[in-house]
Amino acid sequence: MINFWKKWFEPKAYNQGYLPEIDGHKVFFAEYGNPKGKPILIFHGGPGGSAKPSYAQGVNLKKYRVIMFDQRGCSKSLPQGKLENNTTNDLINDAYRLLNYLEIKEKVILKGPSWGSSLALMFAEKYPEKVEKMLLSQVFLADMGNAWWEFEGCRWHYPEFVECLENKAKGDIYDCFAKKICSNNKRQQLEAANYYGYYERVCCSLDPKWGDCLELDEKSLASNRVFMHYAKNRFFMNSKNDILKNIKKIKNIPAIIVHNRLDFVCPVKGAYELHKALPNSRLVIVPEFGHVGKRLHKTIKEEFKRELQ
């Protein structure tokens, strides 16, 4: 019943469809709010997540035009789980294509949580002339610090989980589980999804459970494939610190950054370093645990609403 009412009150898209196919991908998009309003372009999280109507909640839809899309291989984009021609740069180019397809020539506001914050920042660095401001949360810089934290840093808090991944992999964790999730063996697919695929949920929990939690339908299989594809390829970054290396290109773009104090998926250090590198930014640290949470969600809604007045 709760899910019924939640969907009932979700914003309804006034326009949706697919970008012209390119590289074997058809990218799904949807628009909400005022067709003549100030455009807000949203990047969803993941990799492997999806654009949700709820992302448009908390925005004055009489004033703003909210645009979102499912990244390649994700959710309604076709084919689901396709990994060929699916890189970070491809996603940035799709966002640019989408704005052109919708004939949006004015500057846009970028919004992105987690992996979506990475894409928003990289889009801004590639097309700074297209961006008015950025609304970022659960910041993920996809840099060497994050790579170290994922296993070595997390080992301090979840030693049994990291050890379990190492024992299952018997080698490179990324490579092992990426091969398993892309195999045609259902048992191996389930193992990959229920161990490495549960990384974020484990690191958001004080009492984590993993190993036999998840059944795989086609959508969740596709989501896990995309996630592990990006993780294996270190998110297709060209250097050890692409985002901060190029940050001078966007130093004058205003930004609001909201982050949980004890986020064990994306440690607050990344959000703090980003804030220091952007003179025109404001950082709000929420006194909460986890990568997601009610207090974080409430703060994001309040702070972003203030920025969009």
Side-chain angles (χ1 to χ4, degrees):
M1 182 62 72
I2 292 176
N3 287 335
F4 170 80
W5 286 113
K6 183 179 178 181
K7 286 190 173 295
W8 180 267
F9 286 107
E10 281 181 345
K12 307 299 181 194
Y14 72 80
N15 179 38
Q16 60 184 31
Y18 288 88
L19 286 177
E21 183 173 341
I22 187 172
D23 300 330
H25 290 270
K26 292 180 67 177
V27 173
F28 175 82
F29 71 89
E31 294 188 270
Y32 301 82
N34 182 354
K36 296 183 179 180
K38 182 71 183 176
I40 300 176
L41 176 63
I42 298 178
F43 294 89
H44 69 69
S50 63
K52 302 171 184 176
S54 60
Y55 287 173
Q57 290 177 335
V59 176
N60 183 346
L61 296 180
K62 293 181 179 180
K63 183 177 180 181
Y64 291 97
R65 177 184 183 179
V66 178
I67 306 150
M68 59 186 82
F69 67 102
D70 287 331
Q71 294 157 26
R72 294 189 181 197
C74 298
S75 195
K76 294 180 182 178
S77 288
L78 302 172
Q80 277 192 351
K82 182 178 174 68
L83 306 182
E84 293 79 15
N85 300 313
N86 194 338
T87 70
T88 300
N89 197 51
D90 290 322
L91 306 186
I92 301 300
N93 290 340
D94 286 339
Y96 185 77
R97 283 200 304 135
L98 177 57
L99 294 181
N100 286 339
Y101 183 77
L102 297 175
E103 299 181 342
I104 295 174
K105 304 199 185 308
E106 63 181 299
K107 288 187 175 184
V108 301
I109 297 169
L110 301 181
K111 182 181 178 185
S114 193
W115 168 241
S117 72
S118 314
L119 294 176
L121 287 161
M122 287 184 280
F123 179 90
E125 289 176 347
K126 189 169 184 179
Y127 303 108
E129 73 284 355
K130 301 284 290 182
V131 181
E132 181 176 304
K133 70 170 61 175
M134 299 178 291
L135 312 175
L136 309 173
S137 64
Q138 301 120 295
V139 167
F140 176 59
L141 297 180
D143 59 5
M144 291 302 291
N146 285 115
W148 176 86
W149 173 263
E150 186 170 13
F151 300 125
E152 294 310 312
C154 253
R155 195 189 300 275
W156 287 84
H157 304 281
Y158 299 96
E160 75 280 27
F161 174 59
V162 176
E163 185 178 80
C164 179
L165 291 181
E166 291 172 335
N167 291 339
K168 287 284 181 183
K170 296 182 175 64
D172 185 276
I173 292 175
Y174 299 112
D175 189 57
C176 169
F177 288 109
K179 285 179 179 176
K180 286 179 183 289
I181 200 68
C182 290
S183 75
N184 293 320
N185 184 306
K186 293 288 185 184
R187 183 187 62 78
Q188 290 188 353
Q189 291 173 356
L190 278 170
E191 183 177 289
N194 284 319
Y195 285 89
Y196 185 48
Y198 254 63
Y199 172 84
E200 183 173 311
R201 299 188 194 189
V202 168
C203 297
C204 287
S205 174
L206 292 175
D207 185 24
K209 301 290 190 298
W210 67 90
D212 57 356
C213 312
L214 180 68
E215 290 297 328
L216 284 177
D217 57 20
E218 287 304 310
K219 184 176 180 180
S220 57
L221 175 61
S223 175
N224 275 274
R225 279 181 170 165
V226 172
F227 171 66
M228 293 183 205
H229 167 67
Y230 274 80
K232 174 188 174 183
N233 288 286
R234 307 303 192 269
F235 305 96
F236 298 94
M237 295 296 186
N238 295 320
S239 74
K240 296 180 179 180
N241 200 1
D242 275 8
I243 292 174
L244 291 183
K245 180 181 177 181
N246 294 308
I247 205 71
K248 288 183 179 180
K249 296 178 181 180
I250 60 172
K251 66 179 182 179
N252 294 321
I253 296 178
I256 170 71
I257 304 164
V258 183
H259 205 101
N260 263 356
R261 170 68 71 183
L262 295 181
D263 184 336
F264 281 9
V265 177
C266 300
V268 70
K269 183 175 183 288
Y272 183 68
E273 289 178 346
L274 177 66
H275 166 58
K276 290 202 300 181
L278 291 175
N280 223 354
S281 68
R282 184 165 64 88
L283 174 63
V284 178
I285 299 178
V286 183
E288 189 180 37
F289 169 81
H291 192 52
V292 295
K294 290 183 179 179
R295 190 167 184 176
L296 175 69
H297 177 73
K298 182 175 183 290
T299 305
I300 290 171
K301 188 175 180 180
E302 291 172 350
E303 294 295 337
F304 287 3
K305 185 177 180 180
R306 183 184 305 175
E307 289 294 320
L308 295 174
Q309 285 181 348

